[in-house]
């Protein structure tokens, strides 16, 4: 995957938010919240994000079931909740979001807090990946032959290594997405005239050697539209090109003939260089791009987080079984009822390392045997920074036995919408991770693995989250 080009990472400052450690579960069951206004309390059945049609400004409004009310004077707790879904409020003194309707009332929140019950209520409106992954995904794989070259794999072999689900068939795109998503996402091969079990075999009047891969894809797409009634009905279209093509990375003038695959971010197409089309690691990487995921990094090194499929595979296996890292899995929403969000509040006691919050993390491979007392992915919104930390127990077993980075450890990643994720730490039992710049450097966030139980049902990693105030040191006289 060294031929993929990825954008730079930016950690953007956000407005000041209070600090605390409080789980999202403590708000469960609160269907509506009350806020203050000039005409008395208003019960919000939903708090929604939208845009003003003329200026396209982000705005927040309270829906009380009959009307929508403009909200001003954003409270600290609400600021944290909005920051969690990566919609930072204005950095100026005007914490004002506009309501679309001229009938909307101005609601002053400066004298009271608003708690938003279900964070996913906002996320489902704003996160592309949550909207596109659930349900049936229709997939067409196009085997492209040129005048001078033919893909190494036959159409029959491609059917087996992409779509087959028999007991003796290898792990492939269909089986791995089904396993990782617990059947929330289902890959279905194309079925229509001229298509055999999901694979369309066609030839283009082009030469592969020395030609740019996108040029061959354009020709193949045009040819496919002559054969397929409607190419646009497919959620994903895979182009399997023969060897010999080249790819020029963005920002470079040097053509790469050893490229492996590339795909649309939040789009339907993915393209593979010959044998890469039947490699599970390439299939899952490119479909991750289609789902709206981006590169997974370690520190500032691009594509090196091998805890999931969006990082470079360092092993010799191209069929490694794993899923996606903590941030990407959170966005996909496959384990949503085992997500826990921890907010940092100043009134939390900082005395003693265990006076923070403790959660029992369960690996994704044991999600189905977990209970409401367990967490698959923990999230800690960052104070005065964009994004959040995402923590999970990356146990290498079952359909995740190919995990490389953070193997059998607790992984701590930073993530933010439309940004590349960064793996910050991999923790074994007794190890800890500290974030000294938490809350603008006023506090230190400490994440510690207290214990790991590998013989339980389910297996767990007990992890503590503690925020400690950093007392200023007096300079020497």
């Amino acid at each position: 995957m060294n031929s993929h080009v990825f954008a730079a990472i930016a950690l953007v400052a956000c407005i000041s938010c209070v600090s605390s450690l409080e789980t999202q579960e403590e708000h469960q069951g609160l269907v509506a919240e009350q806020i203050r206004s000039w005409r008395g309390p208003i019960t919000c059945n939903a708090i929604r994000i939208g845009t003003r049609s003329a200026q396209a400004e982000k705005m927040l409004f309270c829906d009380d079931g009959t009307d929508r009310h403009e909200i001003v004077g954003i409270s600290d707790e609400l600021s944290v909740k909005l920051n969690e879904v990566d919609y930072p409020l204005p950095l100026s003194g005007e914490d004002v979001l506009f309501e679309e309707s001229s009938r909307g009332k101005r609601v002053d929140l400066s004298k009271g807090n608003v708690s938003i019950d279900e964070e996913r209520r906002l996320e489902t409106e704003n996160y592309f990946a949550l909207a596109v992954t659930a349900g049936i995904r229709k997939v067409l794989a196009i085997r492209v032959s040129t005048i001078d070259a033919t893909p190494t794999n036959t159409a029959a072999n491609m059917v087996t290594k992409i779509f087959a689900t028999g007991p003796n068939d290898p792990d492939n795109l269909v089986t791995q997405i089904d396993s990782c998503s617990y059947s929330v996402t289902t890959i279905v091969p194309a079925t229509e005239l001229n298509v055999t079990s999901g694979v369309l075999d066609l030839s283009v009047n082009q030469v592969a050697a020395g030609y740019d891969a996108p040029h061959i894809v354009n020709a193949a797409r045009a040819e496919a539209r002559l054969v397929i009634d409607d190419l646009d009905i497919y959620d994903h279209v895979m182009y399997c090109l023969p060897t010999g093509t080249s790819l020029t990375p963005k920002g470079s003038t040097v053509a790469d003939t050893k490229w492996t695959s590339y795909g649309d971010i939040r789009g339907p197409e993915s393209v593979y260089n010959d044998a890469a089309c039947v490699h599970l690691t390439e299939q899952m990487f490119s479909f991750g791009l289609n789902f709206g995921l981006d590169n997974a990094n370690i520190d500032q090194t691009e594509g090196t987080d091998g805890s999931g499929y969006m990082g470079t595979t360092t092993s010799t296996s191209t069929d490694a079984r794993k899923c996606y890292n903590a941030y990407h899995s959170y966005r996909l929403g496959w384990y949503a009822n085992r997500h826990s969000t921890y907010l940092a509040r100043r009134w939390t006691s900082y005395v003693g390392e265990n006076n923070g919050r403790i959660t029992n993390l369960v690996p994704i491979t044991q999600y189905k045997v977990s209970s409401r007392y367990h967490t698959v992915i923990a999230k800690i919104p960052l104070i005065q920074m964009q994004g959040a930390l995402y923590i999970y127990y990356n146990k290498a077993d079952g359909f995740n036995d190919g995990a490389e980075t953070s193997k059998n450890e607790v992984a701590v990643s930073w993530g933010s919408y439309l940004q590349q994720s960064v793996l910050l730490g991999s923790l074994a039992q007794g190890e800890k991770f500290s974030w000294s710049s938490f809350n603008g450097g006023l506090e230190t966030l400490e994440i510690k693995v207290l214990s790991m139980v590998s013989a339980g049902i389910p297996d767990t990693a007990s992890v503590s989250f503690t925020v400690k105030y950093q007392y200023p040191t007096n300079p020497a006289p």
Side-chain angles (χ1 to χ4, degrees), residues 60-335:
L60 185 77
F61 61 88
C62 163
D63 183 355
D64 66 1
T66 59
D67 204 350
R68 294 183 300 176
H69 309 275
E70 178 185 345
I71 296 178
V72 299
I74 306 302
S75 69
D76 288 333
E77 184 174 356
L78 184 56
S79 298
V80 171
K81 301 300 290 185
L82 285 175
N83 185 38
E84 287 179 29
V85 295
D86 302 306
Y87 270 76
L89 298 176
L91 295 178
S92 68
E94 291 186 5
D95 290 340
V96 179
L97 300 177
F98 293 93
E99 192 262 321
E100 192 174 25
S101 170
S102 60
R103 300 180 296 117
K105 307 296 191 299
R106 298 180 68 84
V107 179
D108 186 0
L109 303 186
S110 59
K111 298 180 181 180
N113 286 342
V114 171
S115 299
I116 299 179
D117 176 25
E118 299 170 71
E119 181 189 12
R120 277 173 56 78
R121 184 164 48 196
L122 291 178
E123 290 192 356
T124 52
E125 295 180 19
N126 301 299
Y127 271 24
F128 181 89
L130 286 174
V132 305
T133 59
I136 293 175
R137 311 294 298 169
K138 297 173 65 177
V139 178
L140 173 67
I142 303 178
R143 180 177 182 268
V144 183
S145 297
T146 59
I147 296 174
D148 60 335
T150 300
T152 302
N153 288 276
T154 65
N157 197 33
M158 288 174 56
V159 170
T160 299
K161 294 189 174 183
I162 299 175
F163 298 114
T165 58
N168 298 321
D169 291 321
D171 296 304
N172 55 41
L173 176 70
V174 171
T175 59
Q176 194 63 16
I177 285 185
D178 183 71
S179 295
C180 290
S181 74
Y182 286 89
S183 302
V184 171
T185 301
T186 302
I187 299 297
V188 175
T191 55
E192 65 175 274
L193 190 64
N194 301 314
V195 176
T196 303
S197 301
V199 177
L200 171 64
D201 208 342
L202 59 77
S203 298
V204 295
N205 190 28
Q206 300 288 337
V207 176
Y211 274 86
D212 208 34
H215 176 80
I216 306 299
V217 170
N218 290 338
R221 187 187 301 111
E223 187 68 25
R225 292 191 184 279
L226 300 177
V227 179
I228 300 293
D229 289 338
D230 186 0
L231 195 61
D232 298 326
I233 67 172
Y234 296 106
D235 301 295
H236 304 273
V237 179
M238 305 169 65
Y239 292 91
C240 304
L241 305 187
T243 187
T245 62
S246 61
L247 184 67
T248 303
K250 185 177 180 180
S252 173
T253 59
V254 180
D256 181 11
T257 58
K258 296 182 179 180
W259 65 279
T260 52
S261 67
Y262 65 91
D264 296 335
I265 296 182
R266 299 177 302 279
E269 295 187 340
S270 56
V271 185
Y272 307 83
N273 188 3
D274 200 26
C277 193
V278 298
H279 292 167
L280 178 60
T281 53
E282 298 298 329
Q283 294 167 1
M284 294 293 287
F285 176 86
S286 294
F287 270 64
L289 295 175
N290 290 170
F291 290 153
L293 309 182
D294 209 328
N295 192 35
N297 305 330
I298 296 179
D299 297 327
Q300 301 297 316
T301 307
E302 295 179 346
T304 52
D305 175 13
S307 61
Y309 278 117
M310 303 312 292
T312 301
T313 301
T314 58
S315 69
T316 56
S317 174
T318 55
D319 299 315
R321 297 191 304 175
K322 49 186 177 179
C323 295
Y324 297 102
N325 70 13
Y327 170 61
H328 293 146
S329 293
Y330 187 95
R331 285 207 51 219
L332 290 169
W334 288 339
Y335 327 108

Side-chain angles (χ1 to χ4, degrees), residues 349-429:
S349 173
Y350 300 133
V351 181
E353 69 174 7
N354 292 328
N355 283 352
R357 293 285 175 170
I358 297 177
T359 187
N360 290 316
L361 296 178
V362 173
I364 59 176
T365 54
Q366 299 181 35
Y367 162 66
K368 280 297 185 181
V369 294
S370 66
S371 73
R372 64 188 181 93
Y373 301 105
H374 297 123
T375 295
V376 171
I377 303 174
K379 175 181 179 180
I380 302 178
L382 294 178
I383 306 304
Q384 298 192 42
M385 294 185 71
Q386 181 177 340
L389 298 184
Y390 297 82
I391 303 99
Y392 80 154
Y393 179 17
N394 192 30
K395 184 165 185 177
D397 68 344
F399 56 81
N400 194 51
D401 58 8
E404 299 166 278
T405 315
S406 307
K407 184 175 181 178
N408 296 317
E409 295 178 319
V410 171
V412 181
S413 297
W414 174 88
S416 183
Y417 186 52
L418 296 180
Q419 299 287 337
Q420 298 174 14
S421 67
V422 182
L423 178 67
L424 300 176
S426 300
L427 309 177
Q429 181 172 313

